[in-house]
């Protein structure tokens, strides 16, 4: 099995890293402090091919895969996990459209989304609990040639920014009385549809998280993504393979940040007249940060390669996401410890790494849910 990136992927990473060094790294701390979303970078990211890197050229993308998409997210998250969150949620909406939309929907919207001229997102979570996707209360009723939607979504990334939201709603019941979900494409400005409360988060700041309110929203019959009643499968696959992959990539970016910052600090900080990098306990912290980073990277890109080969990778992405979020949280804490008092000073990024890593745990499904998915797969695969 080949664990190496191709020459093209290495070159692409360099191009993404150059963009991040110039446009992201110098401003990341300020976006975090003021909780500002740098929407002005979107068209530039569109032009560079970051947003639509995984979308075929026919729809305005670059025609590469998810490995390349995740390389870009990792590079962005190395300096700004909040910006990476904004970008990937946009891609979550694009992926739902690309894999399930009609030819007409794809031709109409994907080029604008790839170019960064429009912003997208995927809204499933409700006050009834994000883990219970089927327990949603938002309803969709067909009235002649229009659907009418009512309900409220919460903790939605890009809630206040999205021009094009993919929203799940209960459109019927199956023969056993269980909810059937459908995904609807709703454009900004549609009467009765708009953002509600905006949340103030501990981490992943700079990405916007809030409510979407649906009050007698009338949308044409053709606004369905995929088929009526198939929304659960589409949402679960999109969150499972694109959302969790992206959270894992964000955490690999944070983990790399922990390795690089701990090495830099350990070499520069002089105690007892020598760099603390000479102290064995400090070296152990650095070794553990490196181990977490390398393991997180292997889990992530192995799963991404599997997806790009056209195979299902739900359990693999759950492993990458669960390991990544937990590893990034412990590596950030370790980095703070290694830095002594400097670790908790805002001038250094270690505190932000910890807040971002902890905030990543529930987004895209909690650790308990990931363990359930991994256990289910293991009980089948190893029986
Ligand atoms: C920064 C951020 C961005 C987000 N962006 C989006 C977005 O763009 N779109 C979107 O739709 N959602 C989004 N979410 C919501 C996210 O998907 C949910 O937070 C997540 O699914 C968990 O749902 P919940 O918070 O309602 O927790 P709950 O489902 O209420 O869970 C509460 C607790 O119960 C546990 N639990 C629940 N069910 C089980 C079970 N079966 N077995 C064992 N334990 C269980 C959970 O693990 C957790 O510990 C975002 C969340 C965050 C933090």
């Amino acid at each position: 099995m080949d664990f190496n990136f191709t020459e093209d992927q290495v070159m692409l990473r360099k191009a993404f890293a150059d963009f991040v060094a110039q446009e992201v790294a110098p401003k990341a701390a300020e976006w975090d402090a003021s909780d500002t979303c740098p929407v002005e970078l979107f068209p530039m990211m569109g032009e560079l091919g970051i947003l639509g890197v995984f979308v075929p050229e026919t729809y305005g993308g670059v025609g590469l895969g998810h490995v390349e998409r995740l390389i870009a997210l990792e590079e962005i998250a190395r300096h700004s996990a909040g910006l990476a969150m904004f970008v990937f949620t946009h891609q979550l909406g694009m992926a739902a459209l690309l894999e399930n939309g009609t030819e007409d929907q794809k031709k109409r919207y994907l080029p604008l989304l790839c170019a960064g001229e429009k912003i997208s997102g995927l809204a499933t979570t409700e006050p009834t609990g994000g883990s219970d996707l089927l327990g949603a209360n938002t309803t969709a009723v067909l009235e002649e040639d229009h659907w009418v939607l009512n309900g409220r979504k919460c903790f939605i990334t890009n809630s206040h920014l999205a021009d094009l939201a993919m929203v799940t709603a209960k459109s019927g019941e199956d023969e056993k009385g269980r909810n059937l979900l459908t995904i609807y494409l709703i454009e900004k400005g549609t009467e009765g549809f708009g953002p509600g409360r905006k949340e103030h988060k501990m981490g992943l700041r700079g990405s916007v998280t809030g409510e979407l309110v649906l009050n007698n929203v009338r949308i044409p019959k053709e606004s369905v993504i995929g088929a009526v009643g198939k929304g659960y499968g589409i949402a679960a696959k999109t969150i499972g393979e694109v959302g969790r992959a992206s959270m894992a990539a964000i955490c690999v970016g944070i983990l790399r940040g922990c390795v690089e910052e701990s090495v830099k600090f350990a070499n520069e900080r002089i105690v007892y007249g020598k760099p603390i990098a000479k102290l064995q306990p400090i070296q152990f912290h650095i070794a553990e940060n490196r181990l977490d980073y390398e393991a997180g990277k292997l889990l992530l890109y192995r799963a991404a390669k599997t997806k790009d080969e056209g195979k299902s990778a739900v359990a693999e992405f759950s492993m990458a996401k669960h390991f990544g979020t937990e590893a990034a949280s412990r590596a950030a804490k370790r980095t703070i410890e290694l830095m002594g008092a400097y670790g908790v000073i805002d001038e250094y990024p270690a505190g932000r790494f910890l807040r971002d890593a902890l905030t990543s745990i529930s987004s895209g499904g909690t650790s308990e849910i990931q363990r359930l998915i991994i256990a289910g797969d293991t009980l089948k695969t190893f029986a």
Side-chain angles (χ1 to χ4, degrees), residues 85 88-90 92 120-133 153-159 166 168 201 203-205 207-210 239 244 247 321 356 358-372:
M85 186 77 194
F88 108 67
T89 309
H90 172 69
L92 206 54
S120 180
L122 176 68
T124 64
T125 305
E126 298 199 10
T128 45
S131 310
D132 185 11
L133 211 59
K153 299 285 173 182
C154 58
F155 305 129
I156 307 305
T157 308
N158 297 348
S159 52
M166 317 289 153
T168 54
K201 304 189 299 296
L204 298 175
R205 287 160 65 81
S207 67
V208 174
T209 312
I239 295 167
R244 285 177 199 142
M247 289 316 305
K321 197 259 173 186
D356 289 340
L358 290 172
T359 309
S360 301
I361 291 176
S362 59
S363 172
T366 62
S367 289
E368 288 78 10
I369 296 298
Q370 304 321 309
R371 283 199 284 267
L372 285 175

Side-chain angles (χ1 to χ4, degrees), residues 35-55:
D35 201 5
T36 304
C37 186
V39 277
E40 67 281 1
L41 286 186
F42 233 48
M44 200 190 294
M45 286 193 273
E47 206 171 307
L48 277 172
I50 291 177
L51 305 177
V53 67
F54 66 109
V55 174

